[in-house]
Amino acid sequence: MQPDESQYLQRKCRTGDIDVHPTEKALVVYYEVEASILGEAGNARHEEKKECQKIIRLRSLNASTDVSALARKVVEECKIIHPSKLAEVEHLLLYLQNRKKPSSKFDILPMTEKIRGSTLILHLARNPDNLEELLHNETVLGALARVLREDWKHSVELATTIIYVFFCFSSFSQFHGLITHYKIGVLCMNIIEHELKKYDLWQDELEKKSKDPENQSLRKEYEKTLKKYQSLLVKQEQLLRVAFYLLLNLSEDTRTELKMRNKNIVHLLVKSLERDNEELLVLVVSFLKKLSIFLENKNDMAEMDTVEKLACLVPCEQEDLMNVTLRLLLNLSFDTGLRTKMVHVGLLPKLTALLGNDTYKHVAMRILYHISVDDKSKSMFAYTDCIPQLIQMLFEHGEERMDNELISFCINLAANKTNAQIICEGNGLKMLMKRALKLKDPLLMKMIRNISQHDGPLKQLFIDYVGDLAAQIKQEGDEEFVIECLGTMANLTIPDLDWELLLKEYNLVPYLKDHLKPGKANLYLFVFQDGFYNATLHYCHWAFFIDIKAPAYLIDLMHDKNLEIRQVCDNTLDIIAEYDEEWGKKIQSEKFRWHNSQWLEMVESRQMEDAEPYLYGNDPDALEQPDLFYSTDGMMAPEPGLSPDFYSQFHSQNGDFNACDGADGRPATAYGFRPDEPFFHGYGSTR
């Protein structure tokens, strides 16, 4: 179409991507030319677009070339390259300077062709039926691995596509050897680390440009940079997600997981908790949950302030993310220090609010139960609405037995005086006593017993229930329930309470005589305190205690580790010594023997400390003798047949960790082997 006198021709040139030539030392600049024929009013009557490319050959480029100077020259002479592309041009020139001779046809393709080719392979790999065929095509897989290794920094899209191909293989355990062979796992960790550092640089750049919002030019530049950043962030998070997912699949093998741990996988995962992408967060938290059942990983998470980052995710609207976050917190709550940190970062009221949500209340209650184990944290529950919610749950059960988690939680809270006062507000104690006496529930009575131990007005509330408690002490009663009733009565050290009259009125002496015999006394003797056991001794008569050889039993327990047991034994033995001269001498002799042995141990320990410098004589090389060190000779060989699912005994599934017998509620170690040794799982109970 020829323009007439009333028409004008307008041309625009838009620069696109810049890439390296696949075979030559040259740059390829992709650009688009748009030609428009305008009318007199300036409106476009006809438009045409054409994609073009310009090859800039760099014959002088060699190992000694100044790449920075050459990049400036290229940008100055090639008008279609915008000056803002200088850094990109310099990066490409540096790549050309160090590029090796291509080893396959796939390697020499332009970047766009590589992306297109890997995308076609991905379409095949996403169908599991094609994986076996692709497995036998070593040329394709080798080329993919090589391109990923060389070009992942140049194109996020290319890296994402190739990793996705190998991710398809990682979904099946039989193909993990293939991924290990091409070292894709290590490469993924390097890519993740690089992308996380790049993310920090983006954040710093945005922060610098947002410091002066009043400056219009800086504000426009900030908005422009923000749009670019958001676009890059979407692509980067797609890459991180597929890379982490591949690593999660590979961590199915404990040996591989150990290698990841040694390369700081926990650090990379915790760093990724700062993102807002929910799909990525679900994956990251799931991975951390799987790792958290092992002591080493848990310690790494503690050093990385993981709890603080997880606290920001509670609550959240995404159900999967919320559920997996709570389960990770549950695993971490087996650690005393991390439980304390959960309180400090404000998780207590957040978790309490979840007790009203049927979806999350069971996991939330388990975490809160663990927190309530620590005496320092018990008092914090008084400043939330947790206790009223728990009491309501107790009464909603009707005549059904309560969940162990619920009643155990209440038992812990009742051990704190402030919490006990809240529990007893209104008709709280009356309702608890009514339910406990009706259902004969020993755990509920244990909660009441904890309430009764607090001095002050709380003890006075029990005066109305002393008779009800005494009436439960029967031969045919549930033994555990009776013991809790006895313990509750023993806690009621109230001056106005006439224990002697109580023992007479409810005829308790025959029952106590029968149960204060060898073999049974250990269950009943130590629930007595102050006036209760004095009255019991009086009415059972001291001769009865001597006949059943109770003094000898008490002497054995006089040095028990439990302070309360020692106090009861000392007080009871003092009373028996007053009634019986012969036993008084034996008791006095035993106490003297104990103090004398303690003194001798102290003297011997001091002598050993003084002799320590001379243990090895005057030979300065004594410690250099090899036979002084441990050797592995004679040690039990590892059992290769043991299953890595050893922690199934702890009810662990997909990283869930509900109960165990190890120290702090977890195995003592996760990886008791080196990657080059046959691994052997072992654990020991310390409680």
Side-chain angles (χ1 to χ4, degrees):
M1 180 177 179
Q2 297 295 327
D4 56 26
E5 296 179 356
S6 61
Q7 295 175 331
Y8 303 92
L9 182 63
Q10 183 183 59
R11 291 182 180 178
K12 294 181 181 179
C13 181
R14 293 189 179 88
T15 306
D17 294 333
I18 306 175
D19 203 349
V20 295
H21 194 279
T23 57
E24 301 179 18
K25 290 184 178 180
L27 296 177
V28 181
V29 183
Y30 298 94
Y31 62 98
E32 182 183 75
V33 176
E34 179 181 324
S36 302
I37 298 177
L38 306 179
E40 292 183 351
N43 56 318
R45 293 187 176 182
H46 181 72
E47 291 182 347
E48 288 186 5
K49 295 181 181 179
K50 183 179 180 181
E51 293 183 354
C52 307
Q53 66 179 34
K54 180 178 177 62
I55 298 177
I56 305 174
R57 290 179 171 78
L58 307 162
R59 296 184 177 85
S60 61
L61 179 63
N62 53 50
S64 60
T65 302
D66 185 346
V67 174
S68 299
L70 181 58
R72 289 194 297 270
K73 184 178 180 182
V74 169
V75 173
E76 290 173 1
E77 294 184 358
C78 185
K79 302 303 181 182
I80 60 174
I81 300 179
H82 195 272
S84 63
K85 299 276 188 178
L86 176 62
E88 183 179 351
V89 172
E90 184 176 343
H91 180 77
L92 294 173
L93 291 177
L94 184 63
Y95 171 78
L96 282 173
Q97 190 179 44
N98 299 315
R99 185 174 67 176
K100 297 179 181 179
K101 184 179 179 181
S103 56
S104 74
K105 293 182 178 179
F106 193 78
D107 293 322
I108 64 174
L109 292 174
M111 188 64 68
T112 53
E113 294 299 323
K114 290 178 182 178
I115 295 173
R116 190 175 297 118
S118 58
T119 302
L120 293 174
I121 297 173
L122 174 59
H123 286 316
L124 293 174
R126 292 180 69 175
N127 184 348
D129 296 335
N130 297 327
L131 293 178
E132 194 73 34
E133 188 69 26
L134 287 172
L135 178 66
H136 298 300
N137 198 326
E138 296 182 4
T139 304
V140 171
L141 295 178
L144 285 173
R146 186 165 52 252
V147 169
L148 177 63
R149 191 173 299 109
E150 295 178 356
D151 292 343
W152 65 266
K153 287 186 179 180
H154 302 150
S155 173
V156 172
E157 186 178 353
L158 177 65
T160 303
T161 305
I162 296 179
I163 293 176
Y164 205 152
V165 172
F166 286 102
F167 162 73
C168 295
F169 283 96
S170 73
S171 300
F172 301 91
S173 301
Q174 62 266 35
F175 297 133
H176 286 184
L178 165 75
I179 300 171
T180 303
H181 172 72
Y182 289 113
K183 296 181 169 43
I184 302 300
V186 177
L187 189 54
C188 282
M189 293 195 67
N190 292 337
I191 292 172
I192 292 171
E193 184 177 8
H194 174 82
E195 293 299 324
L196 292 178
K197 290 179 180 178
K198 188 191 295 185
Y199 175 80
D200 291 338
L201 293 176
W202 292 345
Q203 293 288 85
D204 292 341
E205 183 181 356
L206 282 174
E207 186 178 355
K208 291 177 182 178
K209 293 183 178 180
S210 63
K211 286 184 177 180
D212 189 4
E214 302 298 330
N215 190 316
Q216 293 297 325
S217 60
L218 288 179
R219 185 176 179 180
K220 289 182 179 179
E221 186 177 354
Y222 167 76
E223 292 175 353
K224 182 179 178 181
T225 306
L226 180 61
K227 289 181 180 179
K228 179 181 177 183
Y229 159 77
Q230 291 172 341
S231 175
L232 294 173
L233 191 62
V234 171
K235 294 181 179 180
Q236 187 189 68
E237 289 180 343
Q238 289 175 344
L239 173 59
L240 291 176
R241 185 165 176 263
V242 70
F244 273 132
Y245 218 142
L246 182 144
L247 293 173
L248 177 59
N249 288 344
L250 293 181
S251 68
E252 174 185 303
D253 181 1
T254 315
R255 288 174 167 277
T256 305
E257 184 178 306
L258 174 58
K259 293 178 181 179
M260 294 181 192
R261 190 257 167 186
N262 293 337
K263 290 185 176 296
N264 223 358
I265 183 65
V266 174
H267 174 88
L268 300 178
L269 288 166
V270 175
K271 182 69 176 174
S272 300
L273 288 175
E274 301 171 0
R275 303 303 182 100
D276 297 323
N277 186 297
E278 291 182 348
E279 291 183 347
L280 177 61
L281 287 173
V282 170
L283 175 62
V284 168
V285 178
S286 299
F287 205 158
L288 286 170
K289 178 170 68 72
K290 180 182 184 301
L291 296 172
S292 66
I293 64 172
F294 294 133
L295 182 66
E296 293 88 341
N297 298 329
K298 182 267 299 180
N299 292 339
D300 290 345
M301 294 178 201
E303 294 174 0
M304 286 289 296
D305 296 330
T306 308
V307 171
E308 288 87 335
K309 292 181 172 65
L310 292 175
C312 299
L313 303 178
V314 180
C316 64
E317 296 181 359
Q318 222 276 3
E319 185 174 328
D320 291 338
L321 178 58
M322 185 68 175
N323 184 53
V324 74
T325 300
L326 289 175
R327 293 188 177 278
L328 172 56
L329 286 170
L330 176 61
N331 287 2
L332 297 178
S333 68
F334 283 89
D335 182 272
T336 304
L338 291 176
R339 288 198 298 268
T340 303
K341 189 168 289 187
M342 290 178 191
V343 176
H344 289 166
V345 300
L347 270 174
L348 198 57
K350 293 182 177 181
L351 293 170
T352 298
L354 296 176
L355 292 177
N357 188 312
D358 292 336
T359 305
Y360 310 119
K361 72 177 182 181
H362 293 293
V363 183
M365 188 178 295
R366 291 173 186 173
I367 302 170
L368 290 170
Y369 166 75
H370 287 168
I371 294 175
S372 71
V373 170
D374 305 322
D375 291 335
K376 292 182 179 179
S377 300
K378 284 186 176 73
S379 60
M380 302 301 295
F381 286 89
Y383 303 101
T384 69
D385 63 344
C386 180
I387 296 174
Q389 290 190 68
L390 295 178
I391 298 301
Q392 183 179 355
M393 291 180 191
L394 284 178
F395 297 147
E396 286 176 351
H397 273 77
E399 296 186 1
E400 300 175 0
R401 290 296 291 256
M402 288 168 287
D403 297 334
N404 287 335
E405 296 164 355
L406 173 60
I407 188 60
S408 301
F409 188 13
C410 293
I411 290 170
N412 284 353
L413 294 180
N416 177 268
K417 186 174 182 178
T418 307
N419 294 337
Q421 291 172 343
I422 298 175
I423 293 172
C424 294
E425 286 179 354
N427 294 326
L429 180 59
K430 179 180 178 181
M431 299 294 290
L432 288 174
M433 287 295 302
K434 182 179 179 180
R435 181 180 178 84
L437 295 174
K438 182 179 181 180
L439 300 179
K440 301 294 188 291
D441 189 334
L443 292 178
L444 186 54
M445 186 54 69
K446 185 184 290 290
M447 175 185 174
I448 295 172
R449 179 181 174 182
N450 278 357
I451 296 174
S452 68
Q453 71 183 343
H454 303 295
D455 296 327
L458 285 175
K459 288 186 185 292
Q460 298 294 332
L461 298 176
F462 284 86
I463 290 181
D464 296 337
Y465 308 107
V466 172
D468 295 324
L469 291 169
Q472 306 304 314
I473 304 174
K474 303 173 183 177
Q475 295 288 352
E476 66 275 8
D478 182 353
E479 191 172 39
E480 291 184 15
F481 181 73
V482 171
I483 290 175
E484 296 304 331
C485 291
L486 281 170
T488 304
M489 294 175 65
N491 284 336
L492 303 181
T493 53
I494 305 172
D496 299 334
L497 193 58
D498 191 340
W499 288 110
E500 297 178 6
L501 178 62
L502 188 69
L503 290 170
K504 279 184 179 180
E505 184 177 348
Y506 289 92
N507 196 27
L508 298 179
V509 174
Y511 179 86
L512 295 174
K513 281 185 176 182
D514 181 63
H515 288 77
L516 289 175
K517 292 179 180 179
K520 292 185 177 181
N522 60 332
L523 293 175
Y524 292 88
L525 185 61
F526 304 115
V527 299
F528 300 156
Q529 293 182 14
D530 301 332
F532 197 5
Y533 73 73
N534 282 323
T536 304
L537 283 172
H538 177 71
Y539 278 92
C540 291
H541 198 270
W542 60 269
F544 166 71
F545 282 85
I546 294 174
D547 289 342
I548 65 172
K549 299 180 182 180
Y553 180 74
L554 292 170
I555 287 174
D556 290 340
L557 292 174
M558 191 168 59
H559 314 300
D560 193 271
K561 293 180 180 180
N562 189 302
L563 176 61
E564 294 182 3
I565 291 178
R566 293 201 304 269
Q567 290 175 345
V568 172
C569 288
D570 285 341
N571 294 336
T572 308
L573 288 171
D574 289 342
I575 296 173
I576 293 175
E578 292 178 6
Y579 285 102
D580 189 281
E581 183 178 354
E582 182 180 352
W583 271 107
K585 291 179 180 179
K586 290 180 180 179
I587 293 169
Q588 184 179 10
S589 175
E590 174 60 25
K591 289 184 176 181
F592 174 78
R593 187 195 66 78
W594 170 256
H595 289 297
N596 192 39
S597 65
Q598 291 291 99
W599 182 81
L600 289 174
E601 286 183 9
M602 181 184 68
V603 172
E604 290 177 0
S605 64
R606 288 186 176 179
Q607 289 176 347
M608 288 294 292
E609 290 176 1
D610 294 339
E612 277 185 1
Y614 308 101
L615 285 176
Y616 300 104
N618 297 322
D619 183 5
D621 298 326
L623 291 177
E624 299 298 327
Q625 299 176 15
D627 57 351
L628 291 177
F629 296 94
Y630 292 106
S631 70
T632 57
D633 295 336
M635 291 181 66
M636 182 185 297
E639 300 179 26
L642 287 183
S643 168
D645 295 329
F646 78 104
Y647 46 82
S648 63
Q649 300 179 35
F650 305 115
H651 310 292
S652 168
Q653 184 176 7
N654 296 327
D656 291 330
F657 195 81
N658 297 325
C660 71
D661 299 327
D664 288 325
R666 57 181 60 252
T669 181
Y671 312 109
F673 56 89
R674 297 198 311 268
D676 57 338
E677 293 178 333
F679 76 88
F680 168 76
H681 284 294
Y683 64 93
S685 175
T686 57
R687 291 186 182 175

